[in-house]
Amino acid sequence: MLIGQIITLFGSAILRFALSLYILDFTGSAETFAVLLAVSTLPTILLSPIGGAIADRVNRKHLIVSFDFISFVVTGGLLAFLYAGSGDMVIIIGAVMTILALVSTFYHPTVQASIPLLIEEDKLMKANGAVSGIGAITNFAGPVLGGLIYGFAGIEFIVAVTCASFLIAAIIELFIRIPFFKETRVQGMLKTIGSDLAIGFRYIHKENPFLLKIILIAASINLFITPLFLVGIPYVIKVLMHMEDQYFGYTQGGISLSMIVAAAVIGLLAGKIRINNLYLCFLGSGIIFLPMALAIYPSWLDGDQQPIIAYLVFSLCAMLVMFVITLVNIFFTTLLQKKTPNALLGKVMAILFAISTCAVPIGQVVIGTLIDKFTNNMYLLVILIGIITMIISLVMKKLLSSSSEGSTTQDTVTSQV
């Protein structure tokens, strides 16, 4: 499973980086870039619960192999269009990003639901840290090399490498053994999926309402913080700071490195991070946004020389924020896996992911529009996001602390954590 993840995620990291550079170079507009990302996110929002229901009903090994093979075919088609040089490439890339986002929507809940079947429960936190660390390592290596390859070999070569990685991963994943217990289906496929989704929603709403609070926290992150990383960071470095492509790759690699460190130390911090003090992580992140805003203050960016100091401060702050978010994500993922029956895990994780992801396209479009309109005062936007992050931390403190008051279920969760 981990070997397949390394190959798949490495190819994906290169592809995401290449398409980001290509679209920004092709259009020069953060708004166009943001709209393209937002549109490609819609299948994730609409179909993620269905992907989770399928992950609980179908052999997960077969699903993982099939998803990588589909990604291989799609990227192969993109490569053919790039070499042919025909068609509207913005629309074609948007379609490819949408299809790959859809595949990812089905892929990730399948992998996450498989992990508890491959590892003992007392090692689940470390296993999730390993999976998260692999994702971070590939994201670290992918952009750094991708920036160099994009400059010398072009996007066609990068898409070809990605295409090959998906095929190799699909072949390797044929050798995975994931326990599968086939359930008897007494209804048609659509009715079965509908029934399974109803069970998942009922579990979240009535049997484990604590998950609703996780949804609110995740949605707030995706509304304000995630769009800054997806849209704001590449725009600041490439357009506002006028840095070379490889510098964007260095920043992306640094952010991934911070995720690697977070995944490596999660086992050591597991005993210190608790539900009742988790809000402190976000409070610290909100403070980090202030020097991040100072780094892009107009006077720092004026002059003939490249703003290396501003670039370093901005990138370091981004790394620290992502370090915190990674810790929180691993913590919540492990908690969810422990408290959800495996027969429901795929659909429950997919439902949570779909609902929280609804905020992503909204945040991308809003921030992309604001960046284009207030390019010279973007530091004000970063300060605002920092203030909002501090507010999120206070709301988180209230939500998560009140969840243990008078609730036997939450008392159990807290004691396990």
Side-chain angles (χ1 to χ4, degrees):
M1 174 76 80
L2 295 181
I3 293 174
Q5 287 283 287
I6 290 173
I7 298 174
T8 298
L9 295 179
F10 186 83
S12 298
I14 294 177
L15 182 61
R16 287 195 306 271
F17 179 83
L19 293 180
S20 298
L21 292 179
Y22 184 76
I23 291 298
L24 281 176
D25 288 341
F26 194 74
T27 65
S29 171
E31 185 174 5
T32 301
F33 181 42
V35 170
L36 196 62
L37 288 176
V39 171
S40 66
T41 306
L42 291 178
T44 301
I45 299 171
L46 299 176
L47 300 178
S48 182
I50 297 177
I54 293 176
D56 288 336
R57 285 281 182 177
V58 182
N59 189 305
R60 291 169 182 169
K61 168 188 171 179
H62 296 165
L63 288 176
I64 292 172
V65 174
S66 299
F67 294 149
D68 271 327
F69 186 77
I70 292 172
S71 298
F72 158 72
V73 173
V74 172
T75 52
L78 174 60
L79 184 62
F81 275 108
L82 288 171
Y83 274 113
S86 59
D88 190 331
M89 291 310 302
V90 173
I91 295 178
I92 293 173
I93 290 177
V96 169
M97 291 174 65
T98 300
I99 296 173
L100 293 178
L102 177 59
V103 171
S104 178
T105 296
F106 285 61
Y107 186 91
H108 289 297
T110 303
V111 171
Q112 292 291 345
S114 300
I115 293 175
L117 297 175
L118 301 175
I119 198 74
E120 295 86 353
E121 182 174 322
D122 61 338
K123 298 178 181 178
L124 197 54
M125 180 78 80
K126 293 183 179 179
N128 285 317
V131 172
S132 178
I134 285 175
I137 290 172
T138 55
N139 286 336
F140 170 73
V144 172
L145 295 177
L148 299 175
I149 297 173
Y150 180 81
F152 289 104
I155 190 173
E156 293 86 357
F157 182 80
I158 292 179
V159 175
V161 171
T162 304
C163 181
S165 70
F166 285 130
L167 178 60
I168 295 172
I171 295 174
I172 290 178
E173 288 160 351
L174 288 172
F175 299 94
I176 298 176
R177 296 188 201 174
I178 302 176
F180 174 62
F181 307 97
K182 186 175 182 179
E183 297 185 34
T184 303
R185 187 171 65 240
V186 296
Q187 311 175 78
M189 175 62 76
L190 293 179
K191 289 185 177 180
T192 300
I193 291 177
S195 176
D196 284 354
L197 290 178
I199 293 173
F201 279 110
R202 185 167 58 250
Y203 176 80
I204 295 172
H205 177 62
K206 294 184 177 181
E207 298 182 38
N208 199 347
F210 174 71
L211 299 180
L212 292 174
K213 299 176 181 181
I214 297 180
I215 291 177
L216 293 176
I217 297 170
S220 62
I221 294 173
N222 288 336
L223 183 61
F224 301 107
I225 301 177
T226 302
L228 181 64
F229 281 80
L230 294 178
V231 181
I233 289 179
Y235 186 81
V236 166
I237 295 174
K238 284 183 58 63
V239 179
L240 204 58
M241 293 183 173
H242 305 289
M243 307 294 281
E244 299 291 338
D245 290 338
Q246 60 264 31
Y247 285 96
F248 177 40
Y250 297 151
T251 300
Q252 291 290 88
I255 291 173
S256 299
L257 179 61
S258 68
M259 297 170 64
I260 296 172
V261 176
V265 303
I266 187 65
L268 300 176
L269 298 177
K272 298 181 180 180
I273 301 178
R274 295 181 175 84
I275 292 177
N276 58 2
N277 66 10
L278 198 62
Y279 75 96
L280 294 175
C281 295
F282 276 85
L283 185 61
S285 296
I287 297 174
I288 295 172
F289 277 110
L290 299 181
M292 193 175 186
L294 179 62
I296 56 175
Y297 192 74
S299 62
W300 278 65
L301 302 179
D302 292 337
D304 297 330
Q305 295 182 347
Q306 288 184 328
I308 296 295
I309 297 179
Y311 165 79
L312 292 175
V313 172
F314 185 85
S315 300
L316 179 60
C317 292
M319 292 171 59
L320 293 175
V321 172
M322 186 54 67
F323 174 85
V324 173
I325 293 178
T326 302
L327 290 178
V328 173
N329 283 340
I330 297 175
F331 178 84
F332 276 141
T333 298
T334 304
L335 186 62
L336 176 61
Q337 290 171 337
K338 287 184 176 182
K339 295 305 297 180
T340 305
N342 193 263
L344 301 175
L345 188 55
K347 60 181 72 71
V348 167
M349 293 192 72
I351 290 171
L352 292 174
F353 180 72
I355 296 176
S356 62
T357 306
C358 287
V360 173
I362 299 175
Q364 287 173 340
V365 172
V366 170
I367 288 187
T369 302
L370 290 176
I371 290 174
D372 277 349
K373 291 184 179 298
F374 302 100
T375 299
N376 295 329
N377 297 311
M378 190 176 168
Y379 71 96
L380 295 176
L381 180 60
V382 176
I383 291 175
L384 178 61
I385 294 175
I387 294 174
I388 292 174
T389 303
M390 296 180 194
I391 295 174
I392 292 174
S393 71
L394 299 178
V395 174
M396 180 188 298
K397 178 182 180 181
K398 178 66 176 178
L399 285 178
L400 299 186
S401 62
S402 64
S403 65
S404 62
E405 297 176 2
S407 172
T408 303
T409 301
Q410 187 53 37
D411 288 341
T412 305
V413 174
T414 306
S415 65
Q416 286 193 1
V417 175

